[in-house]
Amino acid sequence: MAICSRIKTVAGSNKNSGNFPYATVAACAASSGRMKVALQLGQLERDHSSKVLLLLKISEYERAIKQISMQPDCDPDLFAYVLVHCVRMVNNNHWKGEELFRSCQSFPRFKDLLVSYLRGNDPKLYGSLLKYQKMYKQRALLLAEAACMTLENFREKMRLLAGSTAELEKASKISLCKLSLEQARLWEMQHSVADSLVGTSLSHTVLDCFKRNNENLAETFSKEFKMKPKTYRRIQLNGLAFCKNWSRMRELSEDKQVMRYLTLLDFAHACVKNSNDEEAVGYVERLDDCEDKAYMLMRLKRYSESLECAYAIGDIAILLAIKSSSAEGFIVEKASKRLEMLLEQKAADENANAPALSSSARSRGLSAVTDSIQDKAGCAQQ
């Protein structure tokens, strides 16, 4: 107290007493271990920024937060510096996280910025903040995200997920809690198959089982976690095609239960996707839809068969696509003849239902029809 009084007397006798550097003197006092003296001198400092920086230097973090939060026109950079400095002190165990959280409760602006900063930069301390504020659901979601994203071992993922489940129980989120428990059960089953599967989706896991030629295990996963039958059958088809298990695919195509969810076109596409056009032809020939049949035959370069299907249903677009795609002269010639016949028939049908037109008008109409169909053919070919 005597030291402070003496300094005030000296400062008062100075002509520029209003600009006396109390913060600088206080910093010197703090460096020599005289923290109380430094605090008392700091209270005399008129410069806001200097006062805040001094409070941080003497570890008066709560006072620094209060000082900067109560200043309406505070420097944003200084505000951010105080926030980051306080977080760093907590992480370095120089200040307790609970004290930081308690200090900012009365200052909404500082609290909001702290929450935003921790959410993006310090998940661990952010989790502690959520726990302090009893925000169980948000903390549960944070732990669940960490469990899904972590590259640590299986036990660490399970520990984080268990923590998420516990927080959901506290928040009385029963449905979310059940989902979390179901996820834990899936991870345990995935772990029993391969570590690389842990954390992947159910669909990915089932497909992986098919790729391992383990259809029984794939079916077990689908039944245990109530996968939709249509989803399972599509994954089964893709998995069998990937493993080139063509005989099993043929069996499934004859199974009425399976064909409730799949079509022969699905089988054909799966074969084409896995580079077996010959196998795809067998499914295409069984198609009832002539348009799909003509299109798939053209895609498989079975132009002669596709041409006949397209002609039978009057699909000019596919005929034009075949004509432009095939390199075989007789196919091009055949397609051209079929096109002429269909175009003439189409023009005749239109003329029968339209008022009488001049020959030039009929010619223009036929040309317009041809151009329109050629555009459609280009789309079909693509």
Side-chain angles (χ1 to χ4, degrees):
M1 290 296 294
I3 295 176
C4 291
S5 299
R6 178 59 179 162
I7 292 175
K8 287 177 67 177
T9 302
V10 172
S13 63
N14 194 328
K15 293 181 180 180
N16 297 320
S17 59
N19 296 325
F20 189 82
Y22 287 104
T24 303
V25 179
C28 294
S31 299
S32 61
R34 307 295 295 273
M35 297 302 178
K36 290 184 178 181
V37 173
L39 179 59
Q40 291 173 357
L41 291 173
Q43 292 174 350
L44 301 174
E45 177 62 52
R46 294 186 178 184
D47 182 69
H48 175 69
S49 299
S50 299
K51 183 181 291 188
V52 171
L53 293 173
L54 174 65
L55 291 171
L56 292 178
K57 180 178 177 62
I58 62 177
S59 302
E60 290 288 339
Y61 308 119
E62 188 171 350
R63 290 175 182 268
I65 292 172
K66 181 178 180 180
Q67 181 68 34
I68 200 167
S69 298
M70 295 181 68
Q71 191 73 14
D73 56 346
C74 174
D75 180 7
D77 292 336
L78 181 63
F79 201 99
Y81 177 78
V82 172
L83 188 150
V84 174
H85 183 84
C86 290
V87 171
R88 188 183 298 121
M89 292 301 102
V90 172
N91 288 330
N92 293 337
N93 297 320
H94 297 314
W95 199 27
K96 292 182 179 180
E98 291 81 0
E99 294 180 0
L100 169 62
F101 305 148
R102 186 178 63 251
S103 300
C104 68
Q105 294 303 310
S106 303
F107 308 107
R109 184 170 61 147
F110 191 90
K111 178 184 175 181
D112 292 343
L113 287 174
L114 177 65
V115 170
S116 299
Y117 177 80
L118 294 182
R119 185 190 296 119
N121 299 276
D122 197 331
K124 184 177 180 180
L125 193 55
Y126 178 58
S128 299
L129 172 61
L130 295 177
K131 184 178 180 180
Y132 176 82
Q133 295 184 327
K134 297 183 179 180
M135 300 172 71
Y136 301 122
K137 181 181 176 181
Q138 289 83 345
R139 179 170 164 77
L141 295 176
L142 180 70
L143 289 170
E145 181 183 5
C148 293
M149 298 300 293
T150 183
L151 299 178
E152 299 292 336
N153 57 32
F154 172 70
R155 289 184 178 179
E156 177 62 14
K157 293 178 76 70
M158 291 299 292
R159 184 189 69 79
L160 291 168
L161 191 59
S164 175
T165 305
E167 294 296 320
L168 289 171
E169 287 180 343
K170 293 178 184 177
S172 300
K173 301 295 181 180
I174 306 302
S175 57
L176 290 176
C177 186
K178 288 181 178 178
L179 286 175
S180 184
L181 291 171
E182 191 78 351
Q183 186 66 48
R185 195 162 66 90
L186 174 60
W187 284 2
E188 287 177 352
M189 284 188 65
Q190 289 173 333
H191 180 63
S192 66
V193 178
D195 286 340
S196 60
L197 285 178
V198 177
T200 60
S201 67
L202 177 60
S203 297
H204 179 92
T205 303
V206 173
L207 180 60
D208 188 86
C209 291
F210 279 111
K211 289 181 178 181
R212 295 170 186 267
N213 288 312
N214 196 335
E215 191 170 348
N216 291 333
L217 184 59
E219 190 171 356
T220 300
F221 269 101
S222 69
K223 289 181 178 179
E224 281 289 326
F225 297 98
K226 300 179 181 178
M227 177 178 276
K228 293 181 179 179
K230 186 173 183 177
T231 304
Y232 173 72
R233 292 303 179 186
R234 289 191 177 278
I235 293 172
Q236 181 184 31
L237 178 61
N238 291 327
L240 292 173
F242 178 86
C243 296
K244 306 192 184 306
N245 194 344
W246 312 118
S247 59
R248 177 62 176 147
M249 285 177 60
R250 286 191 289 271
E251 289 178 16
L252 291 177
S253 71
E254 301 291 345
D255 190 329
K256 292 183 179 179
Q257 287 293 107
V258 174
M259 298 309 290
R260 290 172 57 193
Y261 308 106
L262 299 175
T263 65
L264 291 171
L265 191 60
D266 294 327
F267 282 83
H269 281 305
C271 293
V272 172
K273 183 179 178 181
N274 289 275
S275 308
N276 192 339
D277 291 355
E278 289 300 320
E279 187 70 23
V281 171
Y283 297 109
V284 172
E285 290 176 344
R286 294 163 56 191
L287 288 172
D288 294 327
D289 189 311
C290 292
E291 186 175 355
D292 287 339
K293 189 174 184 177
Y295 172 75
M296 285 301 297
L297 286 169
M298 180 187 69
R299 185 177 176 184
L300 295 168
K301 298 183 179 180
R302 309 282 290 233
Y303 295 122
S304 182
E305 299 167 58
S306 177
L307 188 149
E308 295 302 331
C309 283
Y311 179 70
I313 59 174
D315 196 321
I316 298 176
I318 291 182
L319 287 173
L320 284 169
I322 293 172
K323 182 180 175 182
S324 62
S325 300
S326 178
E328 300 179 24
F330 77 95
I331 293 293
V332 174
E333 184 179 354
K334 192 174 181 180
S336 298
K337 289 181 179 180
R338 293 285 191 269
L339 277 168
E340 289 177 8
M341 294 170 64
L342 287 177
L343 287 172
E344 288 176 1
Q345 181 63 41
K346 186 176 181 66
D349 292 342
E350 290 180 355
N351 289 334
N353 299 319
L357 297 173
S358 65
S359 59
S360 60
R362 285 199 299 271
S363 177
R364 288 195 300 273
L366 183 59
S367 177
V369 170
T370 304
D371 292 341
S372 174
I373 293 171
Q374 285 177 339
D375 291 339
K376 293 180 181 177
C379 295
Q381 188 176 3
Q382 291 174 2

